[in-house]
Amino acid sequence: MKQGDLVYERLREEIVEWELAPGTHLNETRIAARLGVSRTPLREALHRLDRDGLVRISPGRGAFVSEIALGDVAHRFQLRDALESYAVRLCARADERSVFDALEADFLEWRDRFDAGAGAVDDTGYYALTSRLDAEVSQGAANPHLSDSLASVRQHLRRLRRIARRTPGRMALSAGEHARICAAVRAGAEEEAARAASEHVGNSLRHILAALGGSAVGGSAVALD
């Protein structure tokens, strides 16, 4: 893998996981020294992240981690709703869907764990499970263009996980919603799968907006449509 690609992936992960918080100034000299690279692959990575919408480059001021504004959150969830609802429809039409049995069982186990453990549960494994589901949905949909679009929107929305983690009750509900999606896909019930996916996305958006409390993260508030 080229050095520019490695730098891009490293910075993207740091942004998504809030190691680099919204609004952070990305000083090229310090980051290049920290990552042990020259400024050429670093600048290449920053421009790619700018195109992704994770970084904003301001002429004369440098690069900054992009802020998370309410209007942008809502628009990305609308896109996620459209893409994921259609993706699970395609999955429900696929010939091989047995993997969703095991995924449903795992999500139900996590739902019970969240219900029983409240805030004491380490949710790292849960997010690994949601990533597995995302991968299976993308594979089952068998549409590379749809998969690429889903990967882009999911990448942005991953930055909001810290907000969701503050409310374990929502985590239990989310696990149950994921289980219903898996059950519908496994049964080949594409209408039910699409409805369950849309309900999950809508509930996630409402939870995130309530958690943000009407303000942006790292920037000024934006009115919702």
Side-chain angles (χ1 to χ4, degrees), residues 87-151:
V88 297
R89 281 181 181 275
L90 294 179
C91 283
R93 298 174 191 171
D95 293 332
E96 177 51 51
R97 304 185 302 274
S98 60
V99 67
F100 290 95
D101 266 341
L103 287 169
E104 179 192 6
D106 288 343
F107 276 114
L108 291 175
E109 182 180 333
W110 272 102
R111 181 198 61 187
D112 295 343
R113 194 178 304 176
F114 284 126
D115 278 336
V121 178
D122 180 356
D123 54 21
T124 304
Y126 176 72
Y127 283 117
L129 178 61
T130 63
S131 294
R132 277 176 51 206
L133 175 59
D134 288 346
E136 292 296 344
V137 167
S138 294
Q139 181 175 331
N143 182 324
H145 303 292
L146 177 59
S147 296
D148 287 346
S149 297
L150 274 170

Side-chain angles (χ1 to χ4, degrees), residues 113-212:
R113 194 178 304 176
F114 284 126
D115 278 336
V121 178
D122 180 356
D123 54 21
T124 304
Y126 176 72
Y127 283 117
L129 178 61
T130 63
S131 294
R132 277 176 51 206
L133 175 59
D134 288 346
E136 292 296 344
V137 167
S138 294
Q139 181 175 331
N143 182 324
H145 303 292
L146 177 59
S147 296
D148 287 346
S149 297
L150 274 170
S152 176
V153 72
R154 287 166 177 163
Q155 174 176 270
H156 282 273
L157 296 180
R158 276 181 60 200
R159 287 212 284 169
L160 301 173
R161 283 180 177 173
R162 280 197 177 189
I163 298 168
R165 284 178 179 172
R166 295 171 186 166
T167 54
R170 171 59 199 153
M171 300 294 287
L173 292 173
S174 177
E177 291 163 3
H178 281 114
R180 286 193 291 275
I181 294 169
C182 293
V185 170
R186 178 65 182 91
E190 63 176 273
E191 293 292 339
E192 176 59 27
R195 184 162 52 250
S198 184
E199 287 176 0
H200 169 66
V201 172
N203 288 339
S204 296
L205 173 59
R206 283 187 287 275
H207 169 67
I208 290 296
L209 294 182
L212 286 173

